Structure formats: structure tokens, C-alpha cells
Amino acid sequence: MCLAVPLQITSMLPNGFARGEHSHVQVEFSVALLENPQVGDFVLVHAGVAIETLDEQSARETLSMLKEVVDGSQPR
Amino acid sequence: MSELIKGNKISIDPITRLEGHGKIEIFLDEAGDVDKAYLQLPDLRGFEKFAEGRPAEEMPQITSRICGVCPGAHHMAATKALDAMFHVEPTITARLIREVYYNLHYFEDHILHFYFLGGPDFIVGPTAPKGERNILGVIDKVGVAIGKQVIDIRHRARKLIDEIAGRAIHPVLGLPGGVSKQMTVETRDSLRIFVKDAVAFAQFTLKVFDDIVWKNPTYRDLLLGDVYRCESYYMGMVDKDGHPDYYDGDIRVVDQKGKEFLTFAPKDYAKVIAEHVEPWTYVKFPYLRDIGWKGFVDGPGSGMYRVAPAARFNVSSSMSTPLAQEQRLIYEKAFGGKIVHSVLANHWARLIEVLNNAERLEQLIEHEAFLAPEIRNMNLGTPTEGVGIVEAPRGTLIHHYTSDANGIITGANMIVASLANVAAMSMNIQSAAKAFIHKGKVDEGLLNMVEMAFRTYDPCLSCATHNLPGKMPLQVNLTQVGQPHRSLLRASDGSITESETQKEA
């Protein structure tokens, strides 16, 4: 299944693109669909396109939830 | 890799697996041509455990938060599972509101796929430089004004979803027996204006497809040819009249000739579908129990089935709305009949569904009960067990929960649409590899053609989800008898490196 991992924008790139990061993994994506994207925003990315901006609390709640799911995936 | 050392324990951060490489193993014969190819995908298996012990009412919110690409589909499947679990039928008004929400979700999701994800393959072209294979390249081809229209119509759809369901990405609409919010006159009026533009936009997009894709002989050959083709069983939800239904109905399975194999009610899914486990992946491969798992092969003897837009057309007789049906007849004529095995046909079928969604919205919002205050049936029974199935934009999505008498989840199972297509994706990749790799020569063009084999399904798989077309991390391992192992690695920045080990196969 796909997972909605929020990424935080770390830098804006030319031509409507941005770079985002979570846990040292960097991803480049289009921000063409977002209104006024800013460095520091948390976004959800689908197929290389940021489809939604999340507020920080919501992003952190989702990340926390994902961590629980992933921890449940650990081999025992 | 992000690794954290605490004491003597090394933790590998989950994100590195979520962003994991799709891995393709290709085995060559002595001449350097392709013998076999396999697709290996990262997946997780912790969801079921995560769900246990939580109140059942939280499931529509939890699943829509975790599954990012189609939160609306998970929200709706989970809500329907709660209806079943609490033994309650939603009111007519609640059903109308749910369907309006769901058709809006489909509309914006499918538009996103065509212009942003599939568009780079067809509008810009699979062999275009990777710097152009993105939305900017698409806008360059279709024009800036059209690019703005795409962004605007999708934005309006999202805004309406927000009004109806809270936030589009974290909907709070579905409750067992109903919905949380009554429809307002203002939102209904906004919907009336939207659907007129949505119908026109869907028709325009079908014309773009016809002009740029279907009228291009190269693309037409790809759509009709044997490289991207697979003759499997097909599964999808149909209404009582045999139309594709995204929200509710029975599930129909047809064979390779289009003949009905069986039809089942959602609650009986486990009698029909089994899941095969391979030792090399967490991905579970769903298959038809009555036929059995026969490996990565198609044909009537293999229980492999496919889902997604073209599969929905294969299992249904006609569309529920007139303009979409007109377009479907053109589609069927182009492919030479009602049953279509072309893998790339999904792109076309998806756009016909967009038109169907827009027309369907028009029907739903004019229903006399749409604005009524009866949005929830509170005759809830003692919770036990529930199955909720919807057609997600990517295919049949199954949620199944069991609970104790207090509504606390004791078991959960989800069969996600894309997983039904993974075996086919692997086969399609093998077919593409055989067509494009000769004498051991592999280049960037091959990787693009390989991506096309599974991008047509719009898979909700973690490796495909977060990366731009042409930049999905991909590792291709080549094994040839008597030759050193070779590995082609494409990083998420799109750069490609090739390595060779001394060890011979």
C-alpha cells in the first residue's frame, strides 16, 4: 500500500519545483498545485507532485501514526 | 540510508523503506536477450496489528490518513465496513452525500493522474529528455491556458470536497449509518456551477487524448500492440443494471473472453479471493481461489485477476450516463470489442470515467432528498464484523474488520487495489524488457518504457508514490550466464549509474 508520508519543504527550486525531506531522505517534486508554497511547509506528495499542504500538527500526528504502523512491520 | 545507533541496536528509519527502490531482476539468456524479469516492491505488513485495540469508529480517519493517494477511497471503504459491522443502512440522503463526495474524489484524482503522471508518457513522450517529462513539459505541449484550467478545476473539486467532508486529505464525513454533515443550499449551488464546467473539461480532456495520443501512430501502436498486453481475469463493482459503480454494488469477475466467471456480494470476498505469499517480498498477491495461484502467468488457468478502470469496463455492460457511454462505444470500437486486454487502455478508460463522474454528480445533486436533514440512521446494532468494498480509482478496495461488542477492533484486513495488479505489472515489465533489451544492452529509454508498464495502473505503491515520472528510484539487475552481474541504478534525482561485479552468474 502507499503511505501518506508528509515531507517538509527544505528549498524552493526553479520552475515550480521544490525539494523536501524526511529523515534524511530528499525528494524533488512539483509544487504547481499548491498556493504559495513556502520552505518549512509540510506537504503530501503523489507521484512527484505535492497535492496538499498540511499544518505541522497534522503532519506530525500522521508521521507518528506511520511510525507505529512501520514498527508493527518489524520482523520478530 | 538513515541509520540510528542506540546502544547496540541499529534502527533503520522507516522512511528509507517507504522510499525504497522498486527492484527489477532481469535474467538474460546466453545471447543476452531476456529470459525472465521480476518486479520486487517494498511493502509493509503492520497495519492490521496497528488497528487492533482501536475504536472501530476511528477507522475511516486512520486509514485515510495513512493511505495518502486516495484518502477518499479508504474513508469510504472503512465507512461501509462500519455500516456492515453495526448492522445499519445509511439513509438515502447520506448515501447521496457520500456518492457526491466520492465522485468528486474520483474526478480530481483521475485528472491528476492524466495530466501529471500519465501525461508525461503520452503528451510529452516516453523518449523525451527526463527534464521535460513532467507537468511543465505537459503544459508546454497543451498550452499555458490549459495548464491553468487543469489546476483550477482540480482546485475547485478539492474545495468542494473540503466543504462536504472537512479536509480533502483527512475527511471526517463517514459515520456508521450516515454522514456527519447535512448538505447546504450554498454548497449544492456551487456544485451545480462546478458540474457544468466539469463535464466540459472532461470532454475537452478526451479530445486532448484523441488528438495527441490516439491520432499519433506510435502511441496507437503501443495501445494496440502486444508489448503492453495481458489476458487475465478482471474484477470490478457493478450496479444492478450492470454499469460500473464506484461506491456500491456486487463484485463481478469475468474471464479472458469477457464471460461472467462469478459475481459475489462484498461480505463473501474471502470465499472468492485468496492471497499468495512469495518469500522475496511482503507484497501479498491476491488471486481467485477457485482457479488457484499458478505464478506470473495469464490465461484461463491462472487465478491472477486485474482491477482498475479498464477492468471496470471489462466487467460491466455500459456506462450509467449518456455522454460517458458515447465515449465508451468509441473506446470499444477502437480496441475491436467489449473486452480489452491492452494495459495502456487504462489511460483512456480513466478519462471516460472522469466524464462519467461529472455526469453522475449532475444526477446526484438534483435528487429530491439531497438537501434533507435525515443524514444518519441511528438504529445501530451490536458491532460484530463488517466488510466494506468500493472501487478505488485504482480498482477494487476491500476493508474487513472484526470487533468485540464494544466496537473495539479485534482484527483487520485490507486488500489494496494495486496489489491485485502487481503480478500483471511484473509480467508487463517482462514483456517490455523482452521487447526492448537485446544483446544485453540496457539504457535510460528502457527504464522509461518499463515505468510505463506499471504507471498505467497508477499504482499506489510507496516507491511509485513519491517520485516524479522518470525519477522513481529503480534498480535493474541483469544476470547472464557466464557474464558478470550488472546493476543499473537510477537514483531519485534521475541520475543513472551502472555497476558490475566480478562474480559470474
Side-chain angles (χ1 to χ4, degrees):
Chain A
M1 61 202 241
C2 89
L3 296 170
V5 183
L7 298 169
Q8 190 168 25
I9 295 178
T10 52
S11 58
M12 302 302 294
L13 302 174
N15 297 321
F17 284 82
R19 184 174 288 126
E21 185 189 88
H22 174 65
S23 297
H24 311 299
V25 174
Q26 297 211 353
V27 182
E28 282 180 23
F29 45 84
S30 165
V31 287
L33 286 175
L34 302 182
E35 284 181 62
N36 195 26
Q38 305 280 330
V39 170
D41 285 353
F42 283 88
V43 293
L44 282 182
V45 176
H46 170 41
V49 179
I51 56 174
E52 184 83 14
T53 307
L54 297 173
D55 62 66
E56 183 168 353
Q57 185 190 344
S58 183
R60 296 208 183 281
E61 282 170 9
T62 301
L63 285 168
S64 167
M65 206 179 269
L66 283 168
K67 187 173 184 315
E68 276 191 66
V69 174
V70 172
D71 287 348
S73 290
Q74 300 282 8
R76 290 167 204 288
Chain B
M1 294 280 282
S2 167
E3 294 187 1
L4 187 65
I5 302 174
K6 285 181 185 167
N8 60 357
K9 184 184 172 195
I10 300 177
S11 300
I12 299 175
D13 193 284
I15 192 76
T16 57
R17 275 181 289 155
L18 306 183
E19 295 290 346
H21 285 66
K23 191 170 161 190
I24 296 168
E25 298 281 355
I26 299 176
F27 296 89
L28 306 178
D29 60 20
E30 289 179 3
D33 294 330
V34 173
D35 181 26
K36 295 275 182 199
Y38 296 98
L39 170 68
Q40 194 170 1
L41 295 163
D43 197 22
L44 296 171
R45 57 180 182 185
F47 174 76
E48 287 83 353
K49 186 170 174 47
F50 172 78
E52 284 171 21
R54 293 175 186 274
E57 286 98 328
E58 288 183 3
M59 297 310 285
Q61 279 70 51
I62 288 172
T63 53
S64 59
R65 281 185 91 120
I66 289 175
C67 304
V69 178
C70 41
H74 284 281
H75 186 74
M76 215 34 79
T79 300
K80 288 182 68 188
L82 294 189
D83 290 341
M85 175 183 274
F86 285 90
H87 314 283
V88 62
E89 279 290 321
T91 64
I92 292 170
T93 300
R95 186 185 163 114
L96 289 166
I97 293 170
R98 288 181 186 181
E99 278 200 70
V100 164
Y101 161 77
Y102 202 43
N103 276 277
L104 282 167
H105 171 60
Y106 250 76
F107 181 89
E108 63 99 1
D109 192 280
H110 276 359
I111 289 288
L112 180 73
H113 181 274
F114 180 68
Y115 283 100
F116 282 77
L117 187 56
D121 282 339
F122 284 111
I123 298 175
V124 183
T127 55
K130 61 174 177 273
E132 295 172 16
R133 296 178 68 246
N134 53 47
I135 184 60
L136 292 178
V138 172
I139 289 172
D140 198 40
K141 287 272 183 182
V142 299
V144 174
I146 303 306
K148 282 185 178 164
Q149 267 191 52
V150 173
I151 291 168
D152 178 62
I153 196 91
R154 183 179 173 275
H155 180 71
R156 287 169 63 194
R158 298 283 280 199
K159 194 164 172 299
L160 284 163
I161 292 172
D162 282 353
E163 283 181 33
I164 295 167
R167 293 198 65 187
I169 209 75
H170 295 149
V172 286
L173 180 70
L175 300 166
V179 294
S180 58
K181 192 177 167 190
Q182 187 181 346
M183 182 58 53
T184 64
V185 173
E186 291 76 21
T187 301
R188 192 273 314 271
D189 290 348
S190 299
L191 280 162
R192 279 179 169 165
I193 296 167
F194 173 80
V195 294
K196 298 237 176 307
D197 294 341
V199 168
F201 186 79
Q203 289 176 307
F204 165 78
T205 303
L206 279 157
K207 187 167 184 316
V208 168
F209 185 88
D210 186 54
D211 289 344
I212 297 180
V213 182
W214 187 245
K215 287 198 169 82
N216 180 321
T218 305
Y219 295 156
R220 188 190 291 222
D221 287 349
L222 286 175
L223 279 152
L224 296 176
D226 288 334
V227 173
Y228 299 102
R229 182 184 168 89
C230 182
E231 295 196 11
S232 65
Y233 289 87
Y234 298 96
M235 182 182 287
M237 187 177 268
V238 290
D239 68 15
K240 59 182 174 31
D241 298 315
H243 306 133
D245 199 305
Y246 314 111
Y247 169 75
D248 202 17
D250 283 342
I251 315 300
R252 182 179 290 165
V253 179
V254 300
D255 68 13
Q256 298 71 20
K257 305 282 185 200
K259 186 170 169 251
E260 181 171 318
F261 177 68
L262 55 83
T263 296
F264 61 95
K267 67 181 174 52
D268 295 326
Y269 86 95
K271 294 177 187 165
V272 176
I273 300 168
E275 293 175 277
H276 172 77
V277 178
E278 290 277 340
W280 43 270
T281 177
Y282 282 169
V283 170
K284 290 192 271 188
F285 300 90
Y287 64 93
L288 299 172
R289 194 180 284 280
D290 284 354
I291 306 282
W293 174 261
K294 304 292 165 57
F296 295 89
V297 289
D298 59 358
S302 170
M304 187 183 92
Y305 69 90
R306 283 189 291 157
V307 297
R312 285 193 279 267
F313 285 18
N314 284 342
V315 303
S316 61
S317 53
S318 59
M319 306 304 286
S320 59
T321 57
L323 295 176
Q325 176 57 14
E326 274 178 31
Q327 291 294 323
R328 176 159 162 178
L329 291 175
I330 297 169
Y331 163 95
E332 288 175 358
K333 190 176 173 196
F335 287 105
K338 285 191 82 68
I339 187 91
V340 176
H341 300 296
S342 166
V343 170
L344 299 179
N346 278 311
H347 290 292
W348 192 347
R350 193 173 283 120
L351 297 183
I352 298 170
E353 289 190 338
V354 170
L355 182 55
N356 186 221
N357 297 140
E359 289 184 284
R360 185 81 185 112
L361 280 169
E362 206 159 22
Q363 295 172 345
L364 292 163
I365 63 173
E366 298 304 335
H367 193 287
E368 60 185 9
F370 188 49
L371 298 175
E374 292 81 16
I375 58 171
R376 194 171 183 201
N377 178 356
M378 288 301 292
N379 294 319
L380 306 182
T382 303
T384 50
E385 180 173 7
V387 175
I389 300 186
V390 294
E391 281 295 316
R394 291 147 192 86
T396 312
L397 169 66
I398 302 167
H399 281 220
H400 179 194
Y401 314 133
T402 52
S403 82
D404 65 15
N406 295 316
I408 302 298
I409 296 286
T410 54
N413 187 35
M414 283 201 304
I415 299 180
V416 180
S418 292
L419 295 184
N421 292 328
V422 169
M425 287 179 212
S426 198
M427 290 175 56
N428 300 150
I429 281 166
Q430 176 167 293
S431 174
K434 283 189 172 182
F436 301 115
I437 295 180
H438 298 291
K439 296 182 179 171
K441 186 175 179 299
V442 187
D443 57 24
E444 188 189 338
L446 164 79
L447 296 184
N448 288 339
M449 301 304 275
V450 164
E451 270 195 55
M452 282 177 67
F454 60 84
R455 191 152 50 241
T456 183
Y457 295 102
D458 192 13
C460 54
L461 301 163
S462 52
C463 59
T465 299
H466 299 109
N467 294 283
L468 288 159
K471 291 189 175 182
M472 189 185 109
L474 202 59
Q475 181 177 343
V476 178
N477 293 330
L478 287 160
T479 305
Q480 186 175 5
V481 175
Q483 299 290 323
H485 287 286
R486 289 165 58 204
S487 186
L488 209 65
L489 185 68
R490 185 175 63 199
S492 59
D493 65 0
S495 63
I496 295 178
T497 52
E498 184 169 354
S499 62
E500 201 171 88
T501 62
Q502 292 305 309
K503 188 183 165 193
E504 290 185 359

